[in-house]
Each structure stands twice: as structure tokens, then as C-alpha cells.
């Protein structure tokens, strides 16, 4: 018999038929005569209720059926007697694939803390919460490819091992095969990387952008979607050392086109989630509301589905950095000394400032543009004022910065001057500068932090809970 997924079975189309399901037990409860097994196979947040006659299978069998036992069950699908589900399965045959000793299995059928589940990240997929998060994560990845494919963008695979520091922030993980204990040295006593595997110093990429620009200035519109690595020692709920980034790069796009694309893209993804992931979203929403019950009303966040609809239905606020600084300086929050970090023209905004603008002042997503040149990367286009660059950050409620991007400096001389001023090695980057030497065009792009976006869509509070195996300072388990 062909195995059916529980998602398909729960539509009720097979009522009256014999079906075969395979999955893991979520819960089992029983009386003397019948046992009720809630089975889940990962295809949906919902379980299939299986009804098994104790006498028919013998009491012994049920001792081996516990939470997370893997089963194959054949039976007749009938209309459900109880409430809550449309159908249930009257078991005629039960096969145990793998037992799960209830005294040793760490995930019990009760509420566990997210911290506990993080320590057991190898098993947390078996919980309803994490299965929902990872189904949504999949759907969003799929939607991203769909969006760009429909728009004629090409998916470009940029390298993971690279010799350049795209962001110029020096937060890179070195890649080497040299003996750490006894590396070859130059006459000056430095490590001799010409003896290393690639004949030069290499690291894991912090961004695929620079290579993306090479693609965009020939293919027109490209995007990357891959892992990026940052050795920044930030132990926050929004930072990972290994995260996934989506970086579209478009020839002939100026800053406004870049903003329009970013807003349209984010709204497409949110719409896709609402259209395709409603069961999981509703489950996560209920979970969130349970968690927030104990918070004072003014601190509770908007209900998840309502929040997603709200972002979809409202234009993002577009604002100059300079105006944002003024809003912050004039806020009661600032005057009462409630910001931890300083506010002044020229300083980088911290997440508390970003969230104030989004959550308290505008109460919707904000696109901030034209930042001071000294707090942004070397490749951003210098504005006519000589002080600011055509940067663009998209700020989201509960998250802060979700997208960072810019129009790129397309003038060769200005770009070289910026690189020199910021200490970027010009000779090593001549491959990058060739785009400005030959057929240079205005172009723009941005990077969406995939996990930060998944945090927003799922309503989860910690970035470690939306990536399967989080890498953070002092943690690379599994
Ligand atoms: O603002 P960032 O550093 O921009 C770039 O890397 C550009 N090269 C993008 C481009 O224009 N093509 O990073 C982009 C986004 C951030 O807005 C944030 O969402 C996410 O990447 N991000 C992180 N996410 C998780 N953990 C970290 N440590 C992150 N650092 C950045
Ligand atoms: Mg940024």
C-alpha cells in the first residue's frame, strides 16, 4: 500500500479507505480497551489520531509505544467521533520501526523551555514549535527563489572561501591548512601565507556582494542566497556567527529603485507565508500569546497574523538618517535619558534607537537612507553633500535592522579614494575595480538577513531558534 502523508489524510478525502501512515508518536493515552495515539510525520502541525484496540494488538505492544516511537500504521480512515479533527484512523496493523525509551528520551510530552530545547537542538525538530518554525523557514526559502525567478534575476553562487573582506569590518574566520603549532614564517617573523593551501591568506565570506556586483554588471540582475560568516563577539538574540543572507544586486538601479524592490520583496514573502503557512502561523501565534499573558498589556506585541497583515497593508516609512537623529533627539525617551547608547549626528544607530523609531514613533517598518559616510562600508555611493552615502537600512518591529544595502559608488576615482581613506587594499581588489574601469553603470543592491526575517515571520524571540544548528560564540555543537 502506498504511504500517505498526514497532511493529505487530514483533508478527509480518503474517508472509508484503507491507508498507510508512517511517523513519530507525539502522545499516547489509553483506557483498558482502546489506545489513542497522536501521530505526526512532519508534513503538518496537526497530528493524526489513531485508535487502536488493546485486545486486538495485545497489551504488550503498547508498552513499547511512547513519545517519539517511530511507527507504521495501516488502518481504515473514518469520520472522527471526538471533536477537534475531521478524521481518525482505526488501526488494523502496527509496525514499530524504532522504540524510544521514555525513561531516557529527553523530550517529554509537556512544555519545555526554549533554552532546554536549544541544548537538545538535535531533537527539537520533534516538537510542534520547531517543526512549525522549520516548515515556515523552508517555505520562505522557496518563496525567495520564486520571487527572483519571476522577476528575471539569476541565482549566482558566490564563493564561501574568499581572500577579500567585503564589509571591511575585519570580522572574519580564517581558512587555513597551516599547522597552528608550527606555521611557516617570513623573514619578518609573520605567518607566511604564501605557503598556505591557496597561496594567500583566505577566510570565510562575510558577504557575497562584491562578487555579486561582477555578475550584475553583466547579467543585469542577480541574487545570492547562501551562508555568511562573521566572527563578531555579539552574544545577542539577533546575531549568529553563521547566518544566511539573500543579496540581490541590480545594474541600472538607483537608491529609490533599491528601496522599492526591498519593500516589494519583503511584502511578497509575508504574503506567501500568509497564503501558504497559516496552520503553522496560527500555532505559533497561540504559543506567543500564552507566553505574553504575564506581560503588562503595553508590552505585549501585536498578534502574529495581525502583525504580518499590518506590515503588508502599510507603506514603509522612508526617512533620512539626519531626520531620524532629530526625531530621536526630540523624543521624551531621549530627554528622560532612557537610551543606553549616545544619539548624535555621525554615530551609528543601535538597535534600541532603531526599535524606538519603528515601534514607538512610526509604528511601522522604516527605510532609513543617506547615512554618514564614516559609519558605512567603502563601496557605498558618496552623495553630493560629500558627507553622506546612498545607504539604505530597512528596520522592522521587534528586530531592528533586517536589511542593509546601498547604491554603489560607480565612479572609479571616487571609489579608489574611499578605499584608500578606509584602508581597503586597492591592489588586491583590482578585479572589483575593473567593473568601474570597463562599462561602469549605476547599480544597487541589499542584503536581507534570512534568520532575522524568519524571526519576524514566526514571532520567535531568539535567532538561535530559527536556524537548525546555531553557531554563536563558544557554541558549535552538532
Ligand atoms: O548590513 P550588512 O552587514 O550588509 C552587507 O553585508 C551588505 N554586503 C549587503 C549588500 O548590500 N549586499 O548585513 C546585511 C543583513 C543585516 O541587515 C542583517 O539582517 C543580517 O544581514 N546580519 C546578520 N544576521 C545575523 N547575524 C549576524 N551576525 C548578522 N550580521 C548581519
Ligand atoms: Mg548593516
Amino acid at each position: 500500500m502506498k504511504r500517505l502523508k498526514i497532511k493529505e489524510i487530514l483533508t478527509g478525502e480518503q474517508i472509508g479507505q484503507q491507508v498507510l501512515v508512517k511517523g513519530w508518536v507525539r502522545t499516547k493515552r489509553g483506557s483498558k480497551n482502546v489506545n489513542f495515539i497522536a501521530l505526526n510525520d512532519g508534513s503538518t502541525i496537526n497530528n493524526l489520531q489513531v485508535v487502536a484496540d488493546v485486545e486486538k494488538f495485545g497489551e504488550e505492544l503498547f508498552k513499547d509505544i511512547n513519545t517519539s516511537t517511530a511507527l507504521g500504521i495501516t488502518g481504515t480512515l473514518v469520520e472522527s467521533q471526538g471533536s477537534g479533527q475531521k478524521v481518525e484512523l482505526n488501526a488494523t496493523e502496527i509496525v514499530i520501526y524504532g522504540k524510544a525509551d521514555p525513561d531516557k528520551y529527553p523530550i517529554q510530552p509537556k512544555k519545555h523551555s526554549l533554552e532546554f530545547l536549544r541544548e537538545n537542538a538535535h531533537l527539537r525538530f520533534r516538537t510542534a514549535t520547531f517543526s512549525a518554525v522549520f516548515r515556515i523557514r523552508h517555505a520562505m526559502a522557496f518563496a525567495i527563489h520564486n520571487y527572483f525567478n519571476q522577476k528575471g534575476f539569476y541565482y549566482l553562487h558566490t564563493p564561501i572561501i574568499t581572500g577579500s573582506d567585503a564589509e571591511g569590518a575585519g570580522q572574519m574566520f580564517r581558512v587555513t591548512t597551516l599547522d597552528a603549532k608550527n606555521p611557516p614564517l617570513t623573514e619578518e617573523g609573520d605567518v607566511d601565507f604564501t605557503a598556505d593551501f591557496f597561496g594567500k591568506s583566505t577566510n570565510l565570506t562575510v558577504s557575497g556582494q562584491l562578487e555579486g556586483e561582477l555578475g550584475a554588471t553583466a547579467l543585469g540582475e542577480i541574487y545570492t542566497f547562501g551562508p555568511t560568516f562573521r566572527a563578531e563577539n555579539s552574544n545577542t538574540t539577533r546575531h549568529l556567527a553563521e547566518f544566511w543572507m539573500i543579496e540581490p544586486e541590480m545594474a541600472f538601479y538607483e537608491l529609490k529603485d533599491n528601496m522599492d524592490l526591498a519593500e516589494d520583496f519583503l511584502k511578497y514573502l509575508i504574503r506567501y507565508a500568509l497564503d501558504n503557512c497559516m496552520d503553522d502561523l496560527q500555532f505559533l501565534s497561540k504559543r506567543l500569546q500564552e507566553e505574553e499573558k504575564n506581560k503588562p498589556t503595553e508590552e505585549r506585541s501585536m498578534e502574529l497574523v495581525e502583525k504580518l497583515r499590518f506590515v503588508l497593508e502599510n507603506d514603509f516609512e522612508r526617512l533620512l538618517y539626519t531626520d531620524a537623529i532629530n526625531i530621536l533627539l526630540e523624543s521624551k525617551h531621549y530627554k528622560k535619558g532612557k537610551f543606553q547608547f549616545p544619539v548624535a549626528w555621525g554615530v551609528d544607530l543601535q538597535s534600541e534607537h532603531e526599535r524606538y523609531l519603528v515601534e514607538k514613533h512610526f509604528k511601522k517598518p522604516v527605510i532609513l537612507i543617506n547615512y554618514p559616510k564614516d559609519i558605512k562600508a567603502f563601496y557605498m555611493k558618496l552623495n553630493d553633500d560629500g558627507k553622506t552615502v546612498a545607504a539604505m537600512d530597512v528596520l522592522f518591529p521587534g528586530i531592528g535592522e533586517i536589511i542593509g544595502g546601498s547604491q554603489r559608488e560607480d565612479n572609479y576615482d571616487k571609489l579608489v579614494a574611499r578605499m584608500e581613506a578606509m584602508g581597503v587594499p586597492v591592489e588586491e581588489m583590482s578585479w572589483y575595480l575593473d567593473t568601474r574601469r570597463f562599462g561602469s553603470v549605476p547599480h544597487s543592491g541589499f542584503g536581507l538577513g534570512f534568520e532575522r526575517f524568519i524571526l519576524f515571520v514566526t514571532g520567535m524571540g531568539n535567532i538561535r531558534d530559527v536556524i537548525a544548528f546555531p553557531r554563536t560564540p563558544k557554541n558549535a555543537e552538532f
Side-chain angles (χ1 to χ4, degrees):
M1 196 181 301
K2 187 170 158 272
R3 173 198 174 196
L4 291 181
K5 290 285 184 84
I6 289 175
K7 187 177 180 179
E8 205 179 335
I9 290 176
L10 290 180
T11 62
E13 276 164 35
Q14 290 89 9
I15 283 184
Q17 295 174 22
Q18 283 276 108
V19 299
L20 166 62
V21 289
K22 297 178 181 183
W24 294 265
V25 175
R26 278 280 162 77
T27 57
K28 180 193 71 174
R29 59 194 171 84
S31 64
K32 240 176 143 191
N33 304 323
V34 279
N35 260 283
F36 297 97
I37 300 166
L39 197 75
N40 191 284
D41 65 1
S43 61
T44 153
I45 189 81
N46 299 306
N47 303 324
L48 175 65
Q49 160 133 301
V50 178
V51 185
D53 190 299
V54 174
E55 204 180 317
K56 174 178 159 71
F57 292 101
E59 251 175 71
E60 275 307 296
L61 178 83
F62 294 99
K63 286 187 188 145
D64 288 335
I65 298 181
N66 299 292
T67 297
S68 253
T69 300
L71 297 177
I73 305 177
T74 312
T76 317
L77 202 65
V78 297
E79 230 167 284
S80 177
Q81 309 298 309
S83 63
Q85 63 271 313
K86 233 193 235 172
V87 296
E88 58 191 32
L89 189 68
N90 282 336
T92 52
E93 199 188 326
I94 299 179
V95 176
I96 296 183
Y97 284 108
K99 298 177 196 173
D101 184 342
D103 296 327
K104 294 186 181 137
Y105 183 63
I107 316 280
Q108 296 301 317
K110 63 159 198 177
K111 198 169 158 54
H112 288 290
S113 73
L114 294 174
E115 290 77 14
F116 172 83
L117 291 172
R118 225 170 279 147
E119 279 159 27
N120 289 279
H122 57 302
L123 293 171
R124 65 182 177 170
F125 301 105
R126 302 251 180 115
T127 67
T129 299
F130 284 92
S131 70
V133 166
F134 288 105
R135 272 190 299 271
I136 292 173
R137 186 180 162 116
H138 158 79
M140 291 295 90
F142 180 79
I144 285 163
H145 288 299
N146 238 356
Y147 178 81
F148 286 122
N149 185 51
Q150 281 171 16
K151 286 188 102 69
F153 283 55
Y154 300 109
Y155 181 25
L156 188 70
H157 295 96
T158 49
I160 289 175
I161 299 175
T162 162
S164 69
D165 177 2
E167 293 304 301
Q171 299 168 321
M172 298 175 299
F173 290 100
R174 186 179 296 288
V175 175
T176 180
T177 55
L178 294 179
D179 182 359
K181 253 189 180 162
N182 187 24
L185 299 179
T186 61
E187 278 175 13
E188 290 81 40
D190 298 325
V191 175
D192 180 10
F193 287 106
T194 60
D196 203 349
F197 188 90
F198 296 105
K200 63 192 272 190
S201 160
T202 51
N203 48 269
L204 295 176
T205 188
V206 294
S207 158
Q209 178 195 320
L210 303 191
E211 294 88 351
E213 286 184 54
L214 305 179
T217 51
L219 293 162
E221 283 125 24
I222 64 93
Y223 69 105
T224 74
F225 185 178
T228 43
F229 307 86
R230 297 202 183 170
E232 52 186 329
N233 203 356
S234 308
N235 245 316
T236 78
T237 53
R238 291 166 302 104
H239 286 88
L240 291 164
E242 176 179 299
F243 64 98
W244 288 65
M245 187 155 49
I246 300 99
E247 295 185 275
E249 190 71 33
M250 300 76 62
F252 308 108
Y253 268 52
E254 299 187 358
L255 189 62
K256 171 161 189 311
D257 309 310
N258 207 19
M259 288 193 267
D260 291 344
L261 182 75
E263 182 165 347
D264 186 60
F265 174 49
L266 290 168
K267 286 180 171 172
Y268 174 89
L269 297 181
I270 291 169
R271 196 174 304 118
Y272 189 94
L274 288 169
D275 289 347
N276 294 279
C277 309
M278 199 42 107
D279 283 355
D280 288 325
L281 288 174
Q282 269 163 352
F283 175 84
L284 292 172
S285 167
K286 257 189 229 139
R287 186 192 156 277
L288 210 61
Q289 282 174 310
E290 282 294 313
E291 297 235 310
E292 299 219 324
K293 260 188 195 155
N294 304 326
K295 285 192 189 169
T297 333
E298 68 276 8
E299 277 178 33
R300 281 182 214 161
S301 50
M302 205 188 264
E303 188 274 326
L304 183 60
V305 173
E306 196 189 330
K307 181 185 78 175
L308 297 178
R309 291 223 169 90
F310 178 82
V311 169
L312 204 55
E313 285 158 12
N314 287 283
D315 288 344
F316 295 3
E317 186 72 31
R318 299 180 180 194
L319 188 72
L320 299 171
Y321 167 91
T322 303
D323 293 340
I325 292 292
N326 289 335
I327 288 172
L328 292 171
L329 288 174
E330 278 159 27
S331 68
K332 279 200 190 120
H333 213 78
Y334 175 77
K335 289 178 180 157
K336 286 188 189 158
K338 284 197 186 162
F339 288 123
Q340 199 189 331
F341 292 92
V343 182
W345 199 96
V347 304
D348 205 0
L349 296 182
Q350 301 294 325
S351 121
E352 58 173 352
H353 308 132
E354 296 172 340
R355 292 185 58 180
Y356 177 86
L357 290 169
V358 170
E359 289 160 33
K360 297 272 178 339
H361 190 85
F362 291 108
K363 299 192 165 61
K364 57 179 176 169
V366 171
I367 309 183
L368 265 191
I369 61 165
N370 294 357
Y371 283 70
K373 65 176 195 276
D374 293 334
I375 56 171
K376 289 291 184 188
F378 70 91
Y379 50 71
M380 297 191 182
K381 186 178 176 62
L382 192 63
N383 287 323
D384 292 339
D385 60 14
K387 290 193 301 190
T388 61
V389 285
M392 147 192 129
D393 276 9
V394 182
L395 316 178
F396 257 39
I399 313 279
E401 179 191 336
I402 199 162
I403 279 181
S406 73
Q407 183 169 342
R408 317 307 187 189
E409 182 57 77
D410 52 286
N411 179 290
Y412 177 84
D413 294 326
K414 285 189 189 168
L415 182 56
V416 170
R418 281 306 288 155
M419 291 169 85
E420 282 169 349
M422 296 177 87
V424 180
V426 176
E427 328 74 60
E428 286 172 33
M429 304 277 280
S430 77
W431 54 272
Y432 178 67
L433 287 166
D434 271 357
T435 54
R436 276 64 165 180
R437 256 187 222 116
F438 310 112
S440 187
V441 292
H443 62 287
S444 303
F446 61 81
L448 170 66
F450 190 46
E451 285 77 18
R452 290 206 186 160
F453 181 69
I454 302 297
L455 271 183
F456 179 76
V457 175
T458 58
M460 299 296 282
N462 191 318
I463 201 161
R464 294 168 179 82
D465 295 333
V466 296
I467 186 163
F469 303 105
R471 270 78 183 95
T472 50
K474 301 273 176 278
N475 173 39
E477 200 57 51
F478 315 112

